[in-house]
Structure formats: C-alpha cells, structure tokens
Amino acid sequence: MTFRMLSASAAFSLLLSGCSATPPSPQVNALHQEVSQLNQQMRTLTHQATALEIQGQLNGQLNQGAWLLPQAKTPVELETQVGKLRLSLAHVRGEPGGSRAELTIAAPENQPLPALRAQVVWGELDPASGKPLEAESVSQPLTVPAGLTPRSTVTVPLRLNGFNPQQLGYVRIHQVEPLLSASTQP
C-alpha cells in the first residue's frame, strides 16, 4: 500500500472542501483566499531571509565595500575614508534598459555627511550558489556633492542599466572617499 504525503495547504484545502457536491460557502472561499495569501507571504519572507543571509556573507568581507541585495531590504554599515556610513537600497523598479533604485546614505548619529565619491557596481547573483556574477557586472562612479546646509542623510537616484529588477541581484558600493572641492584638488 502506498501513502502520499499532502502539503499542509493541500490537506487544509481538502479538509475545508469536504466531500459534498454542494458549492463551497463564502466562509470556505474566504479561508481558501487567506491560506493563499499566507502562502505568498511565506514565500516572500523566505526569499527575503535567503537574500539577507547572502548579504551578510558578502559583507563579511570588509575590504570589498557594502553589498546591498534588493530582496534583503536591510541597510548595511560601511567603514570608509569619510567615516562610518549606513547604506540602504529602496524602490527598485524597472525602466527601459534596466532598473532604477534609490540609494540612501546616512552618517551615524546625525553627523553632517561630507561630500564624497564612490564606485557603484551591480549585477546578477548565481542562482545556484548565491555568489555575485561579477564578469557580467556594470560599474559607474557616484558623486555626492556637499549640500548647501549640513545634512546627515542623502538619497541618490541610481540608474542600473542592463539588468531588470528580476535580474538585479546586488548593488555594491566601494572605494568611498572624500570629494575634494575644485580649489583643493591637485
């Protein structure tokens, strides 16, 4: 005799539907919808937890900058030449030819954020290993000029060409250094 294991949601659905030939009641339909929504939320949380774990592993290599994974939705702290910075990525959305996102850079404890420049690299993650596929990555410089008034946080729009939001696996910020004014540059 062979037994099959049913998934929890399938068993629950079978239990709710019963064996009668009458159409399910509105309450049963509502429960089916709630179970479906809970399953979707569990998948979303599982993807976020996996991305957060990978982001943590990548950021364990302190000399490579800050790795931000869009699905992790968690800020990263980075020690730089301009001091400690808190970096986060939000509002990743598609646009023709790639993605658009917002990078928030914050100084700790409401300290003034200095003018800075950095390198931004983005690309895909290997679906099997979760490691960055750096051979296909794209890079561009980022400049954050000084504000007219001191500010502790700035949000910078990023255009991440070449990767739509489903392909975009990571954004890495590195080589952060002070931006010298034109009068002090050699």
Side-chain angles (χ1 to χ4, degrees):
M1 183 191 263
T2 305
F3 290 99
R4 281 191 159 165
M5 297 198 63
L6 297 175
S7 72
S9 63
F12 187 65
S13 295
L14 184 61
L15 178 66
L16 287 176
S17 64
C19 296
S20 73
T22 61
S25 70
Q27 293 87 356
V28 171
N29 285 336
L31 285 174
H32 280 287
Q33 188 171 356
E34 280 185 53
V35 168
S36 177
Q37 289 171 350
L38 288 172
N39 282 336
Q40 179 60 37
Q41 289 173 349
M42 283 298 293
R43 280 190 294 277
T44 300
L45 289 172
T46 300
H47 290 303
Q48 185 177 359
T50 301
L52 190 54
E53 182 179 340
I54 293 169
Q55 180 174 287
Q57 290 170 356
L58 291 170
N59 284 309
Q61 304 163 0
L62 298 176
N63 60 347
Q64 292 198 12
W67 296 83
L68 299 163
L69 276 60
Q71 287 189 330
K73 298 179 176 148
T74 303
V76 171
E77 287 190 351
L78 177 65
E79 191 62 48
T80 71
Q81 291 182 22
V82 298
K84 187 179 281 190
L85 299 175
R86 185 176 178 95
L87 306 166
S88 60
L89 195 62
H91 306 293
V92 178
R93 58 197 177 280
E95 70 172 22
S99 299
R100 180 177 289 267
E102 292 178 358
L103 173 68
T104 300
I105 305 170
E109 301 175 10
N110 292 323
Q111 296 293 319
L113 187 65
L116 59 90
R117 66 176 161 215
Q119 201 62 25
V120 180
V121 180
W122 62 93
E124 293 181 273
L125 293 175
D126 182 314
S129 69
K131 295 187 183 215
L133 297 173
E134 294 188 76
E136 301 292 322
S137 67
V138 181
S139 178
Q140 74 180 20
L142 170 72
T143 301
V144 178
L148 296 176
T149 59
R151 58 190 175 177
S152 62
T153 302
V154 64
T155 300
V156 180
L158 297 178
R159 297 189 81 175
L160 307 168
N161 296 327
F163 297 93
N164 66 44
Q166 292 75 28
Q167 295 172 307
L168 183 64
Y170 69 90
V171 175
R172 181 168 61 108
I173 312 298
H174 66 112
Q175 297 176 350
V176 180
E177 55 189 37
L179 180 64
L180 304 174
S181 68
S183 62
T184 60
Q185 286 185 347

